[in-house]
Amino acid sequence: MKIHRINPAQRWSDITVFNGIAHFVEVPEGDLGADIRGQTAQVLAQAELALAKVGSDKTRLLSATIYLTDFANLAAFNAVWDAWFAPGTAPSRACVKAELASPGYLVEIAFVAAAGEEYQA
């Protein structure tokens, strides 16, 4: 089966799809001075754009691994996360405390989603 790489670069691809399953990671790309709510909203908005690139949407998310720099931000993160999903559509998830690549990042999320028909083979 074909591996689809969206915007491949030397170090990573924006999205990698194999056998109809899309993998991608989002970090805040806008205002790094934003608090956890603002950075989470940025990441989720970026995720919606990434999902659209592979003919998918947030209802087709299968799992997410959430990396937070401080668990003191978990409640605020969860408030934004919970509001993003319609009831009954949240994926499985793990939440990990981690040091992230940029000191300005408060959150990073690795997503796995079912891609659209074009990426099924």
Side-chain angles (χ1 to χ4, degrees), residues 5 7-14:
R5 298 182 197 281
N7 298 327
Q10 181 64 34
R11 192 160 289 149
W12 67 76
S13 294
D14 286 348

Side-chain angles (χ1 to χ4, degrees), residues 24-108:
F24 64 99
V25 177
E26 296 295 342
V27 297
E29 293 179 353
D31 178 10
L32 292 185
D35 65 8
I36 188 64
R37 290 176 183 270
Q39 286 197 17
T40 301
Q42 290 174 49
V43 166
L44 297 179
Q46 291 162 204
E48 287 194 56
L49 294 174
L51 288 161
K53 288 179 183 177
V54 294
S56 191
D57 62 56
K58 64 186 174 185
T59 67
R60 296 173 57 84
L61 284 170
L62 302 173
S63 69
T65 303
I66 301 151
Y67 301 93
L68 295 175
T69 58
D70 187 343
F71 276 153
N73 288 329
L74 184 59
F77 170 86
N78 281 336
V80 177
W81 175 265
D82 293 348
W84 192 54
F85 291 103
T89 65
S92 61
R93 76 176 221 185
C95 191
V96 178
K97 182 180 175 188
E99 183 177 352
L100 302 178
S102 170
Y105 295 162
L106 301 177
V107 61
E108 180 172 333

